[in-house]
Amino acid sequence: MTECTAPSETLLLRRGEVHSPADPFATAMVVERGQVAWVGSEGAADAFADGVDEVVDLEGALVTPAFTDAHVHTTSTGLALTGLDLTGAASREDALALVREFAAARPGDRVLLGHGWDAARWADGRPPTRTELDAASGGRPLYLSRIDVHSAVVTSALLDLVPGGVTRTDAPLTADAHHAVRAAALAAVTTAQRTEAQRAALARAAALGIGTVHECAGPEISSEGDFTGLLRLAAEESGPRVLGYWAERDADRARELGAIGAAGDLFVDGALGSHTACLHRPYADADHTGTAYLDADDVAAHVLACTEGGLQAGFHAIGDAAVTRVVEGVRAAAEKAGLARIRAARHRVEHAEMLTPETIAAFAELGLTASVQPAFDALWGGEEGMYARRLGAERARTLNPYAALLRAGVPLAFGSDSPVTPLDPWGTVRAAAFHRTPEHRVSVRAAFTAHTRGGWRAVGRDDAGVLVPGAPADYAVWRTGELVVQAPDDRVARWSTDPRSGTPGLPDLSPGGELPVCLRTVVGGRTIFVRPGE
Protein backbone atom coordinates (compact mmCIF):
# COMPACT_ATOMS: atom_id res chain seq x y z
CA MET A 1 0.00 0.00 0.00
CA THR A 2 1.33 3.43 -0.92
CA GLU A 3 2.78 5.29 2.05
CA CYS A 4 1.02 8.41 3.33
CA THR A 5 3.22 10.19 5.85
CA ALA A 6 1.25 13.37 6.60
CA PRO A 7 -2.37 14.48 6.54
CA SER A 8 -3.48 15.85 3.18
CA GLU A 9 -6.16 18.43 2.49
CA THR A 10 -7.80 16.01 0.05
CA LEU A 11 -7.03 12.31 -0.13
CA LEU A 12 -8.29 9.61 -2.51
CA LEU A 13 -8.13 6.00 -1.39
CA ARG A 14 -8.80 3.54 -4.22
CA ARG A 15 -8.48 -0.06 -5.44
CA GLY A 16 -9.73 -1.58 -2.21
CA GLU A 17 -12.97 -2.50 -0.47
CA VAL A 18 -14.74 0.30 1.41
CA HIS A 19 -17.33 -0.79 3.98
CA SER A 20 -20.05 1.80 3.60
CA PRO A 21 -23.86 1.80 3.59
CA ALA A 22 -23.65 4.61 1.04
CA ASP A 23 -22.44 2.10 -1.57
CA PRO A 24 -22.21 -1.61 -0.68
CA PHE A 25 -19.83 -2.19 -3.59
CA ALA A 26 -17.56 0.81 -3.00
CA THR A 27 -13.86 0.50 -3.77
CA ALA A 28 -12.80 4.11 -3.26
CA MET A 29 -13.22 6.99 -0.84
CA VAL A 30 -12.33 10.68 -0.78
CA VAL A 31 -11.36 12.39 2.48
CA GLU A 32 -11.35 16.18 2.69
CA ARG A 33 -10.49 18.32 5.74
CA GLY A 34 -10.98 15.48 8.19
CA GLN A 35 -14.33 14.30 6.82
CA VAL A 36 -15.51 11.67 4.38
CA ALA A 37 -16.37 13.59 1.19
CA TRP A 38 -17.31 10.78 -1.21
CA VAL A 39 -17.60 6.99 -1.38
CA GLY A 40 -18.04 5.08 -4.62
CA SER A 41 -16.79 2.85 -7.40
CA GLU A 42 -13.39 2.55 -9.02
CA GLY A 43 -14.61 3.96 -12.29
CA ALA A 44 -16.01 7.07 -10.64
CA ALA A 45 -12.77 7.51 -8.71
CA ASP A 46 -10.99 8.43 -11.93
CA ALA A 47 -12.85 11.73 -11.91
CA PHE A 48 -11.25 12.64 -8.56
CA ALA A 49 -7.70 11.49 -9.24
CA ASP A 50 -6.39 14.73 -10.72
CA GLY A 51 -8.08 17.03 -8.20
CA VAL A 52 -6.77 15.59 -4.92
CA ASP A 53 -3.58 16.27 -3.04
CA GLU A 54 -2.72 12.62 -2.60
CA VAL A 55 -3.78 9.19 -3.86
CA VAL A 56 -3.42 6.04 -1.75
CA ASP A 57 -3.45 2.70 -3.56
CA LEU A 58 -5.17 0.28 -1.15
CA GLU A 59 -3.92 -2.75 -3.12
CA GLY A 60 -7.09 -4.66 -2.29
CA ALA A 61 -7.18 -3.80 1.42
CA LEU A 62 -10.42 -3.31 3.34
CA VAL A 63 -11.38 0.11 4.72
CA THR A 64 -13.85 0.23 7.61
CA PRO A 65 -14.90 2.81 10.18
CA ALA A 66 -12.42 2.86 13.05
CA PHE A 67 -13.61 0.93 16.07
CA THR A 68 -14.86 2.61 19.23
CA ASP A 69 -14.12 0.81 22.49
CA ALA A 70 -16.95 1.93 24.75
CA HIS A 71 -15.39 0.91 28.08
CA VAL A 72 -11.67 1.29 28.79
CA HIS A 73 -9.52 2.00 31.83
CA THR A 74 -6.64 3.56 29.95
CA THR A 75 -4.00 3.95 32.65
CA SER A 76 -4.71 0.51 34.10
CA THR A 77 -4.49 -0.92 30.58
CA GLY A 78 -1.13 0.74 30.10
CA LEU A 79 0.12 -0.40 33.49
CA ALA A 80 -0.90 -3.94 32.56
CA LEU A 81 1.03 -3.59 29.30
CA THR A 82 4.12 -2.22 31.06
CA GLY A 83 3.66 -4.14 34.33
CA LEU A 84 3.26 -7.76 35.36
CA ASP A 85 0.79 -9.71 33.24
CA LEU A 86 -0.59 -12.74 35.07
CA THR A 87 -3.28 -13.69 32.55
CA GLY A 88 -1.14 -16.59 31.36
CA ALA A 89 -0.28 -17.93 34.83
CA ALA A 90 -1.31 -21.59 34.83
CA SER A 91 -1.14 -22.06 38.60
CA ARG A 92 -0.53 -20.24 41.87
CA GLU A 93 3.09 -21.42 41.81
CA ASP A 94 3.48 -20.04 38.30
CA ALA A 95 2.05 -16.67 39.41
CA LEU A 96 4.44 -16.50 42.37
CA ALA A 97 7.40 -17.30 40.13
CA LEU A 98 6.37 -14.46 37.81
CA VAL A 99 6.16 -12.10 40.80
CA ARG A 100 9.70 -13.04 41.86
CA GLU A 101 11.05 -12.42 38.34
CA PHE A 102 9.21 -9.12 38.00
CA ALA A 103 10.39 -7.84 41.39
CA ALA A 104 13.98 -8.66 40.51
CA ALA A 105 13.68 -6.88 37.16
CA ARG A 106 12.15 -3.66 38.61
CA PRO A 107 14.35 -2.73 41.57
CA GLY A 108 13.58 1.00 41.32
CA ASP A 109 9.76 0.88 41.33
CA ARG A 110 8.14 2.29 44.47
CA VAL A 111 5.23 -0.12 44.01
CA LEU A 112 4.95 -3.30 41.95
CA LEU A 113 1.77 -3.59 39.88
CA GLY A 114 0.30 -6.65 38.25
CA HIS A 115 -2.98 -7.81 36.83
CA GLY A 116 -4.90 -10.77 35.47
CA TRP A 117 -4.68 -13.68 37.93
CA ASP A 118 -7.68 -15.98 37.93
CA ALA A 119 -7.66 -18.67 40.60
CA ALA A 120 -10.86 -20.12 39.11
CA ARG A 121 -8.68 -21.52 36.31
CA TRP A 122 -6.10 -23.06 38.67
CA ALA A 123 -6.27 -26.67 39.81
CA ASP A 124 -6.74 -25.92 43.52
CA GLY A 125 -8.72 -22.71 42.97
CA ARG A 126 -6.73 -20.86 45.63
CA PRO A 127 -5.20 -17.40 45.08
CA PRO A 128 -1.78 -16.55 46.56
CA THR A 129 -1.79 -15.50 50.20
CA ARG A 130 -0.33 -12.29 51.56
CA THR A 131 2.43 -14.33 53.24
CA GLU A 132 3.37 -15.99 49.95
CA LEU A 133 3.39 -12.64 48.17
CA ASP A 134 5.51 -11.02 50.90
CA ALA A 135 8.16 -13.67 50.26
CA ALA A 136 7.93 -13.53 46.45
CA SER A 137 8.16 -9.73 46.34
CA GLY A 138 11.00 -9.44 48.82
CA GLY A 139 8.79 -7.49 51.22
CA ARG A 140 7.99 -4.69 48.74
CA PRO A 141 4.61 -3.03 48.11
CA LEU A 142 2.74 -5.15 45.57
CA TYR A 143 -0.80 -4.90 44.15
CA LEU A 144 -2.19 -7.72 41.98
CA SER A 145 -5.71 -7.25 40.66
CA ARG A 146 -7.87 -10.22 39.80
CA ILE A 147 -8.84 -10.47 36.14
CA ASP A 148 -12.21 -8.77 36.78
CA VAL A 149 -10.50 -5.92 38.73
CA HIS A 150 -13.04 -6.24 41.55
CA SER A 151 -10.66 -7.87 44.01
CA ALA A 152 -6.93 -7.99 44.59
CA VAL A 153 -4.19 -9.69 46.57
CA VAL A 154 -1.50 -7.47 48.09
CA THR A 155 1.56 -7.52 50.29
CA SER A 156 1.94 -6.34 53.86
CA ALA A 157 4.14 -3.48 52.67
CA LEU A 158 1.30 -2.12 50.54
CA LEU A 159 -1.14 -2.36 53.45
CA ASP A 160 1.30 -0.19 55.41
CA LEU A 161 0.71 2.58 52.84
CA VAL A 162 -3.08 2.66 53.25
CA PRO A 163 -4.25 5.64 55.30
CA GLY A 164 -6.29 4.41 58.24
CA GLY A 165 -5.24 0.84 57.61
CA VAL A 166 -6.99 -2.24 56.25
CA THR A 167 -7.71 -5.46 58.11
CA ARG A 168 -4.84 -7.83 57.44
CA THR A 169 -6.02 -11.03 55.85
CA ASP A 170 -4.72 -13.65 53.48
CA ALA A 171 -7.95 -13.59 51.48
CA PRO A 172 -8.40 -11.39 48.39
CA LEU A 173 -9.61 -7.91 49.25
CA THR A 174 -12.97 -6.74 47.90
CA ALA A 175 -15.30 -3.72 48.14
CA ASP A 176 -14.03 -0.81 50.26
CA ALA A 177 -10.84 -2.58 51.31
CA HIS A 178 -9.96 -3.20 47.69
CA HIS A 179 -10.69 0.40 46.75
CA ALA A 180 -8.39 1.57 49.54
CA VAL A 181 -5.42 -0.58 48.55
CA ARG A 182 -5.87 0.25 44.89
CA ALA A 183 -5.82 3.97 45.70
CA ALA A 184 -2.65 3.51 47.73
CA ALA A 185 -0.97 1.56 44.94
CA LEU A 186 -1.87 4.08 42.25
CA ALA A 187 -0.82 6.98 44.49
CA ALA A 188 2.69 5.50 44.53
CA VAL A 189 2.90 5.55 40.72
CA THR A 190 4.91 8.52 39.48
CA THR A 191 3.57 10.99 36.93
CA ALA A 192 6.14 9.75 34.43
CA GLN A 193 5.06 6.12 34.93
CA ARG A 194 1.43 7.08 34.51
CA THR A 195 2.05 9.04 31.31
CA GLU A 196 4.14 6.15 29.94
CA ALA A 197 1.27 3.78 30.68
CA GLN A 198 -1.33 6.03 29.03
CA ARG A 199 0.79 6.37 25.89
CA ALA A 200 1.30 2.61 25.76
CA ALA A 201 -2.44 1.95 26.03
CA LEU A 202 -3.39 4.49 23.37
CA ALA A 203 -0.67 3.23 21.04
CA ARG A 204 -1.98 -0.33 21.42
CA ALA A 205 -5.51 0.88 20.66
CA ALA A 206 -4.38 2.72 17.54
CA ALA A 207 -2.48 -0.36 16.32
CA LEU A 208 -5.71 -2.36 16.56
CA GLY A 209 -7.80 0.04 14.49
CA ILE A 210 -9.46 1.69 17.48
CA GLY A 211 -10.06 5.37 16.79
CA THR A 212 -12.00 6.28 19.93
CA VAL A 213 -12.05 5.05 23.52
CA HIS A 214 -14.51 5.81 26.28
CA GLU A 215 -12.43 6.28 29.42
CA CYS A 216 -14.42 5.02 32.41
CA ALA A 217 -12.73 6.72 35.35
CA GLY A 218 -13.78 7.69 38.85
CA PRO A 219 -12.58 8.34 42.37
CA GLU A 220 -12.76 4.63 43.29
CA ILE A 221 -10.94 3.59 40.12
CA SER A 222 -8.18 6.10 39.49
CA SER A 223 -7.88 9.78 40.50
CA GLU A 224 -8.83 13.23 39.25
CA GLY A 225 -5.23 13.89 38.24
CA ASP A 226 -5.08 10.64 36.29
CA PHE A 227 -8.32 11.49 34.47
CA THR A 228 -7.49 15.09 33.60
CA GLY A 229 -3.93 14.10 32.65
CA LEU A 230 -5.26 11.53 30.20
CA LEU A 231 -7.69 13.97 28.60
CA ARG A 232 -4.90 16.52 28.28
CA LEU A 233 -2.50 13.96 26.77
CA ALA A 234 -5.09 12.84 24.22
CA ALA A 235 -5.82 16.44 23.23
CA GLU A 236 -2.15 17.35 22.80
CA GLU A 237 -0.78 14.23 21.09
CA SER A 238 -1.74 12.31 17.96
CA GLY A 239 -3.72 9.20 18.85
CA PRO A 240 -7.21 7.86 19.45
CA ARG A 241 -9.92 10.20 20.63
CA VAL A 242 -10.59 9.88 24.36
CA LEU A 243 -14.12 10.60 25.59
CA GLY A 244 -14.15 10.69 29.37
CA TYR A 245 -16.72 9.51 31.90
CA TRP A 246 -16.31 10.27 35.61
CA ALA A 247 -18.13 7.87 37.95
CA GLU A 248 -19.11 10.12 40.82
CA ARG A 249 -22.52 11.15 42.13
CA ASP A 250 -21.67 14.80 41.55
CA ALA A 251 -22.65 15.93 38.08
CA ASP A 252 -21.10 19.36 38.55
CA ARG A 253 -17.74 17.88 39.49
CA ALA A 254 -17.82 15.53 36.51
CA ARG A 255 -18.39 18.49 34.20
CA GLU A 256 -15.58 20.50 35.85
CA LEU A 257 -13.16 17.65 35.19
CA GLY A 258 -14.05 17.58 31.49
CA ALA A 259 -16.26 14.50 31.54
CA ILE A 260 -19.16 14.06 29.14
CA GLY A 261 -21.06 12.09 31.75
CA ALA A 262 -21.17 11.26 35.46
CA ALA A 263 -21.22 7.66 34.38
CA GLY A 264 -19.12 4.62 33.59
CA ASP A 265 -18.17 2.54 36.60
CA LEU A 266 -20.50 4.16 39.12
CA PHE A 267 -20.89 0.92 41.02
CA VAL A 268 -24.31 -0.49 41.80
CA ASP A 269 -22.59 -3.84 42.45
CA GLY A 270 -19.34 -5.69 41.82
CA ALA A 271 -18.45 -8.68 39.64
CA LEU A 272 -19.40 -12.35 39.41
CA GLY A 273 -15.86 -13.67 39.57
CA SER A 274 -15.25 -11.92 42.89
CA HIS A 275 -18.70 -12.92 44.26
CA THR A 276 -19.63 -9.22 44.52
CA ALA A 277 -22.23 -8.93 41.73
CA CYS A 278 -25.61 -8.36 43.41
CA LEU A 279 -28.08 -11.20 42.78
CA HIS A 280 -31.73 -11.91 43.55
CA ARG A 281 -30.83 -15.47 44.58
CA PRO A 282 -27.60 -16.68 46.24
CA TYR A 283 -24.59 -17.81 44.29
CA ALA A 284 -24.36 -21.51 43.48
CA ASP A 285 -20.94 -21.66 45.15
CA ALA A 286 -21.46 -19.18 48.02
CA ASP A 287 -24.19 -18.63 50.59
CA HIS A 288 -24.83 -14.95 49.88
CA THR A 289 -26.14 -12.66 47.14
CA GLY A 290 -23.17 -10.37 46.60
CA THR A 291 -22.67 -6.69 47.32
CA ALA A 292 -24.92 -3.69 46.67
CA TYR A 293 -23.48 -0.18 46.65
CA LEU A 294 -26.47 1.89 45.45
CA ASP A 295 -30.22 1.43 45.78
CA ALA A 296 -33.03 2.53 43.45
CA ASP A 297 -33.41 5.87 45.24
CA ASP A 298 -29.72 6.61 44.75
CA VAL A 299 -30.04 5.76 41.06
CA ALA A 300 -33.10 7.96 40.63
CA ALA A 301 -31.46 10.95 42.31
CA HIS A 302 -28.35 10.66 40.15
CA VAL A 303 -30.31 10.27 36.92
CA LEU A 304 -32.40 13.34 37.74
CA ALA A 305 -29.32 15.43 38.60
CA CYS A 306 -27.56 14.46 35.38
CA THR A 307 -30.65 14.97 33.24
CA GLU A 308 -31.16 18.44 34.70
CA GLY A 309 -27.48 19.21 34.14
CA GLY A 310 -27.39 18.00 30.55
CA LEU A 311 -25.01 15.12 31.28
CA GLN A 312 -25.28 11.40 30.76
CA ALA A 313 -25.77 9.27 33.83
CA GLY A 314 -24.56 5.71 33.88
CA PHE A 315 -24.02 2.79 36.18
CA HIS A 316 -22.01 -0.39 36.52
CA ALA A 317 -24.55 -3.19 37.02
CA ILE A 318 -23.84 -6.89 36.45
CA GLY A 319 -26.09 -8.97 38.71
CA ASP A 320 -29.83 -9.26 38.14
CA ALA A 321 -30.64 -7.49 41.41
CA ALA A 322 -28.31 -4.62 40.49
CA VAL A 323 -29.88 -4.30 37.04
CA THR A 324 -33.33 -4.25 38.67
CA ARG A 325 -32.21 -1.40 40.95
CA VAL A 326 -31.05 0.60 37.93
CA VAL A 327 -34.31 0.03 36.07
CA GLU A 328 -36.42 0.94 39.09
CA GLY A 329 -34.36 4.07 39.71
CA VAL A 330 -34.41 5.28 36.11
CA ARG A 331 -38.16 4.63 35.89
CA ALA A 332 -38.69 6.67 39.06
CA ALA A 333 -36.65 9.49 37.51
CA ALA A 334 -38.77 9.30 34.37
CA GLU A 335 -41.93 9.69 36.43
CA LYS A 336 -40.57 12.99 37.75
CA ALA A 337 -38.71 14.41 34.74
CA GLY A 338 -40.79 12.88 31.97
CA LEU A 339 -39.99 9.84 29.87
CA ALA A 340 -39.05 11.87 26.80
CA ARG A 341 -36.32 13.78 28.67
CA ILE A 342 -34.88 10.59 30.16
CA ARG A 343 -34.82 8.86 26.78
CA ALA A 344 -33.23 11.87 25.10
CA ALA A 345 -30.36 11.87 27.62
CA ARG A 346 -29.24 8.36 26.51
CA HIS A 347 -28.18 7.20 29.95
CA ARG A 348 -26.08 4.05 29.97
CA VAL A 349 -25.59 0.81 31.85
CA GLU A 350 -22.17 -0.81 31.81
CA HIS A 351 -21.94 -4.63 31.54
CA ALA A 352 -25.66 -5.42 32.12
CA GLU A 353 -24.97 -9.14 32.09
CA MET A 354 -27.87 -10.68 34.03
CA LEU A 355 -31.00 -9.51 32.26
CA THR A 356 -34.56 -10.80 32.18
CA PRO A 357 -37.25 -10.20 29.53
CA GLU A 358 -38.71 -7.59 31.90
CA THR A 359 -35.47 -5.64 32.36
CA ILE A 360 -34.70 -5.85 28.64
CA ALA A 361 -38.11 -4.32 27.90
CA ALA A 362 -37.40 -1.62 30.49
CA PHE A 363 -34.07 -0.75 28.83
CA ALA A 364 -35.93 -0.25 25.55
CA GLU A 365 -38.69 1.80 27.18
CA LEU A 366 -36.28 4.06 29.06
CA GLY A 367 -33.83 4.54 26.17
CA LEU A 368 -30.92 2.99 28.10
CA THR A 369 -27.79 2.05 26.17
CA ALA A 370 -26.28 -1.32 27.07
CA SER A 371 -22.50 -0.89 27.09
CA VAL A 372 -21.42 -4.53 26.99
CA GLN A 373 -18.31 -6.69 26.62
CA PRO A 374 -18.76 -9.84 24.50
CA ALA A 375 -15.29 -11.10 25.43
CA PHE A 376 -16.67 -11.81 28.91
CA ASP A 377 -18.76 -14.62 27.44
CA ALA A 378 -15.83 -15.94 25.42
CA LEU A 379 -13.69 -16.03 28.56
CA TRP A 380 -16.17 -17.10 31.24
CA GLY A 381 -19.23 -18.50 29.46
CA GLY A 382 -20.11 -22.06 28.51
CA GLU A 383 -21.21 -25.09 30.49
CA GLU A 384 -17.86 -25.40 32.29
CA GLY A 385 -16.97 -21.74 32.62
CA MET A 386 -16.78 -19.39 35.59
CA TYR A 387 -20.35 -18.17 35.10
CA ALA A 388 -21.66 -21.73 35.44
CA ARG A 389 -19.61 -22.32 38.58
CA ARG A 390 -20.84 -19.10 40.18
CA LEU A 391 -24.49 -19.35 39.14
CA GLY A 392 -25.20 -22.89 38.01
CA ALA A 393 -25.57 -23.82 34.35
CA GLU A 394 -29.22 -22.77 34.01
CA ARG A 395 -28.74 -19.20 35.24
CA ALA A 396 -25.41 -18.91 33.42
CA ARG A 397 -27.09 -19.62 30.08
CA THR A 398 -29.16 -16.44 30.44
CA LEU A 399 -26.17 -14.10 30.59
CA ASN A 400 -25.30 -11.51 27.95
CA PRO A 401 -28.43 -11.92 25.76
CA TYR A 402 -27.33 -9.72 22.87
CA ALA A 403 -29.88 -11.02 20.35
CA ALA A 404 -32.77 -10.33 22.71
CA LEU A 405 -31.47 -6.82 23.40
CA LEU A 406 -31.28 -6.05 19.68
CA ARG A 407 -34.74 -7.50 19.01
CA ALA A 408 -36.14 -5.21 21.71
CA GLY A 409 -34.48 -2.17 20.15
CA VAL A 410 -31.93 -1.59 22.92
CA PRO A 411 -28.85 0.28 21.62
CA LEU A 412 -25.65 -1.73 22.06
CA ALA A 413 -22.15 -0.30 22.43
CA PHE A 414 -19.33 -2.83 22.51
CA GLY A 415 -16.14 -2.51 24.51
CA SER A 416 -13.45 -4.49 26.29
CA ASP A 417 -13.36 -3.18 29.87
CA SER A 418 -9.61 -3.37 29.30
CA PRO A 419 -7.56 -4.50 31.14
CA VAL A 420 -10.26 -6.96 32.28
CA THR A 421 -10.18 -8.34 28.75
CA PRO A 422 -7.66 -7.09 26.18
CA LEU A 423 -8.24 -4.44 23.55
CA ASP A 424 -9.30 -6.71 20.68
CA PRO A 425 -12.05 -5.30 18.45
CA TRP A 426 -12.34 -8.06 15.86
CA GLY A 427 -12.13 -10.65 18.63
CA THR A 428 -14.97 -8.83 20.37
CA VAL A 429 -17.11 -8.93 17.22
CA ARG A 430 -16.34 -12.64 16.86
CA ALA A 431 -17.30 -13.28 20.49
CA ALA A 432 -20.75 -11.71 19.95
CA ALA A 433 -21.36 -13.50 16.66
CA PHE A 434 -20.28 -16.87 18.08
CA HIS A 435 -21.65 -16.48 21.61
CA ARG A 436 -21.30 -19.66 23.68
CA THR A 437 -25.09 -19.68 24.04
CA PRO A 438 -26.41 -19.92 20.46
CA GLU A 439 -29.69 -18.08 21.04
CA HIS A 440 -27.75 -14.98 22.15
CA ARG A 441 -25.72 -14.73 18.92
CA VAL A 442 -26.03 -11.76 16.58
CA SER A 443 -24.83 -11.30 13.02
CA VAL A 444 -21.28 -10.16 12.39
CA ARG A 445 -22.75 -7.05 10.79
CA ALA A 446 -24.80 -6.20 13.91
CA ALA A 447 -21.81 -6.85 16.17
CA PHE A 448 -19.54 -4.74 13.98
CA THR A 449 -22.07 -1.90 14.05
CA ALA A 450 -22.21 -2.09 17.86
CA HIS A 451 -18.42 -1.75 17.99
CA THR A 452 -18.22 1.17 15.56
CA ARG A 453 -21.38 3.25 15.25
CA GLY A 454 -22.74 1.97 18.57
CA GLY A 455 -20.00 3.65 20.56
CA TRP A 456 -20.72 6.99 18.91
CA ARG A 457 -24.45 6.69 19.46
CA ALA A 458 -23.71 5.96 23.11
CA VAL A 459 -22.27 9.48 23.43
CA GLY A 460 -25.15 11.08 21.57
CA ARG A 461 -23.58 11.25 18.09
CA ASP A 462 -25.57 9.66 15.27
CA ASP A 463 -23.41 11.06 12.46
CA ALA A 464 -20.20 9.14 13.17
CA GLY A 465 -18.84 5.60 13.18
CA VAL A 466 -19.87 5.03 9.57
CA LEU A 467 -18.20 5.91 6.27
CA VAL A 468 -20.68 8.19 4.53
CA PRO A 469 -20.25 11.72 3.18
CA GLY A 470 -20.12 14.23 6.02
CA ALA A 471 -18.99 11.75 8.68
CA PRO A 472 -15.69 12.19 10.53
CA ALA A 473 -12.84 10.54 8.64
CA ASP A 474 -12.14 7.98 11.37
CA TYR A 475 -11.22 4.78 9.57
CA ALA A 476 -8.92 1.79 9.59
CA VAL A 477 -7.32 -0.14 6.73
CA TRP A 478 -7.07 -3.92 7.05
CA ARG A 479 -5.32 -6.84 5.42
CA THR A 480 -7.84 -9.65 5.43
CA GLY A 481 -9.21 -12.56 3.47
CA GLU A 482 -12.40 -12.90 1.47
CA LEU A 483 -15.32 -10.80 2.66
CA VAL A 484 -18.46 -12.71 3.60
CA VAL A 485 -21.81 -12.22 5.31
CA GLN A 486 -22.22 -14.17 8.55
CA ALA A 487 -25.48 -14.42 10.46
CA PRO A 488 -26.83 -16.86 13.08
CA ASP A 489 -29.70 -17.77 10.74
CA ASP A 490 -28.40 -19.42 7.56
CA ARG A 491 -31.45 -18.20 5.58
CA VAL A 492 -30.43 -14.62 6.40
CA ALA A 493 -26.84 -15.30 5.42
CA ARG A 494 -27.86 -16.79 2.05
CA TRP A 495 -30.09 -13.82 1.19
CA SER A 496 -27.50 -11.29 2.35
CA THR A 497 -24.89 -12.61 -0.07
CA ASP A 498 -27.27 -12.07 -2.98
CA PRO A 499 -26.22 -8.88 -4.80
CA ARG A 500 -29.83 -7.68 -4.69
CA SER A 501 -29.60 -7.36 -0.89
CA GLY A 502 -26.91 -4.69 -1.11
CA THR A 503 -25.27 -5.99 2.06
CA PRO A 504 -21.54 -5.15 2.27
CA GLY A 505 -19.37 -8.04 3.36
CA LEU A 506 -17.04 -8.25 6.33
CA PRO A 507 -14.08 -10.51 7.16
CA ASP A 508 -14.75 -14.16 7.90
CA LEU A 509 -14.60 -14.37 11.71
CA SER A 510 -15.21 -18.09 12.09
CA PRO A 511 -13.57 -19.37 15.28
CA GLY A 512 -10.00 -20.51 14.75
CA GLY A 513 -9.40 -18.34 11.71
CA GLU A 514 -6.98 -15.47 11.42
CA LEU A 515 -8.33 -12.06 12.39
CA PRO A 516 -7.76 -9.01 10.15
CA VAL A 517 -4.46 -7.18 10.53
CA CYS A 518 -4.55 -3.40 10.92
CA LEU A 519 -2.38 -1.59 8.38
CA ARG A 520 -3.36 1.98 9.17
CA THR A 521 -5.61 3.90 11.58
CA VAL A 522 -6.84 7.41 10.84
CA VAL A 523 -8.71 9.78 13.16
CA GLY A 524 -10.19 12.99 11.82
CA GLY A 525 -8.17 12.57 8.63
CA ARG A 526 -4.87 12.33 10.54
CA THR A 527 -2.92 9.05 10.50
CA ILE A 528 -2.26 7.83 14.03
CA PHE A 529 -0.86 4.40 13.19
CA VAL A 530 0.93 2.81 10.25
CA ARG A 531 1.97 -0.82 10.49
CA PRO A 532 5.76 -1.09 10.10
CA GLY A 533 6.71 -2.12 6.59
CA GLU A 534 3.45 -0.95 5.03
Side-chain angles (χ1 to χ4, degrees), residues 282-374:
Y283 285 87
D285 59 351
D287 60 354
H288 62 83
T289 57
T291 304
Y293 298 111
L294 301 178
D295 60 23
D297 289 341
D298 296 325
V299 170
H302 186 62
V303 169
L304 284 170
C306 289
T307 303
E308 293 294 337
L311 285 176
Q312 281 182 292
F315 305 91
H316 163 119
I318 287 179
D320 50 3
V323 173
T324 296
R325 288 172 181 231
V326 170
V327 165
E328 290 175 348
V330 178
R331 182 170 284 129
E335 290 172 357
K336 292 184 177 180
L339 180 60
R341 290 188 67 196
I342 296 300
R343 288 179 57 86
R346 303 193 190 190
H347 302 307
R348 354 182 343 160
V349 183
E350 309 299 317
H351 317 308
E353 294 198 74
M354 293 184 71
L355 293 155
T356 64
E358 292 75 23
T359 51
I360 290 172
F363 270 46
E365 173 197 357
L366 298 167
L368 295 173
T369 294
S371 170
V372 296
Q373 297 76 39

Side-chain angles (χ1 to χ4, degrees), residues 116-410:
W117 61 269
D118 186 0
R121 292 188 289 174
W122 298 344
D124 63 1
R126 181 173 75 78
T129 66
R130 179 166 51 87
T131 305
E132 291 169 334
L133 292 173
D134 285 348
S137 66
R140 296 167 64 188
L142 169 71
Y143 169 86
L144 299 178
S145 52
R146 189 187 180 277
I147 192 166
D148 62 7
V149 201
H150 282 266
S151 59
V153 288
V154 303
T155 57
S156 301
L158 181 60
L159 294 179
D160 292 339
L161 300 180
V162 178
V166 170
T167 301
R168 293 176 181 255
T169 174
D170 274 340
L173 300 172
T174 62
D176 290 342
H178 174 227
H179 299 157
V181 296
R182 176 166 56 190
L186 294 178
V189 173
T190 66
T191 300
Q193 283 178 300
R194 187 173 65 220
T195 301
E196 175 195 19
Q198 292 170 347
R199 287 195 177 112
L202 294 176
R204 175 65 63 87
L208 293 169
I210 297 170
T212 301
V213 300
H214 296 183
E215 165 65 12
C216 292
E220 294 180 343
I221 301 165
S222 51
S223 69
E224 291 186 359
D226 181 277
F227 182 62
T228 55
L230 173 64
L231 296 182
R232 185 166 54 251
L233 177 74
E236 293 173 351
E237 299 186 4
S238 179
R241 304 175 192 268
V242 177
L243 304 176
Y245 287 93
W246 183 252
E248 186 173 7
R249 291 166 61 194
D250 184 341
D252 291 337
R253 187 59 184 151
R255 189 191 302 279
E256 290 168 3
L257 293 174
I260 61 173
D265 276 331
L266 184 55
F267 296 120
V268 177
D269 69 343
L272 290 164
S274 293
H275 290 102
T276 51
C278 188
L279 313 181
H280 284 304
R281 293 187 288 119
Y283 285 87
D285 59 351
D287 60 354
H288 62 83
T289 57
T291 304
Y293 298 111
L294 301 178
D295 60 23
D297 289 341
D298 296 325
V299 170
H302 186 62
V303 169
L304 284 170
C306 289
T307 303
E308 293 294 337
L311 285 176
Q312 281 182 292
F315 305 91
H316 163 119
I318 287 179
D320 50 3
V323 173
T324 296
R325 288 172 181 231
V326 170
V327 165
E328 290 175 348
V330 178
R331 182 170 284 129
E335 290 172 357
K336 292 184 177 180
L339 180 60
R341 290 188 67 196
I342 296 300
R343 288 179 57 86
R346 303 193 190 190
H347 302 307
R348 354 182 343 160
V349 183
E350 309 299 317
H351 317 308
E353 294 198 74
M354 293 184 71
L355 293 155
T356 64
E358 292 75 23
T359 51
I360 290 172
F363 270 46
E365 173 197 357
L366 298 167
L368 295 173
T369 294
S371 170
V372 296
Q373 297 76 39
F376 288 6
D377 174 73
L379 184 61
W380 298 315
E383 296 296 313
E384 305 297 325
M386 182 272 286
Y387 290 152
R389 290 195 294 276
R390 293 289 184 269
L391 302 171
E394 183 178 351
R395 271 197 294 178
R397 280 191 291 271
T398 68
L399 265 61
N400 302 303
Y402 303 136
L405 284 162
L406 282 180
R407 284 195 300 270
V410 176

Side-chain angles (χ1 to χ4, degrees), residues 66-67 205-211 240 475-478 518-523 526-531:
F67 285 100
L208 293 169
I210 297 170
Y475 60 91
V477 181
W478 307 91
C518 185
L519 305 179
R520 181 186 303 272
T521 307
V522 176
V523 171
R526 179 176 294 275
T527 299
I528 64 169
F529 168 77
V530 176
R531 187 173 181 83

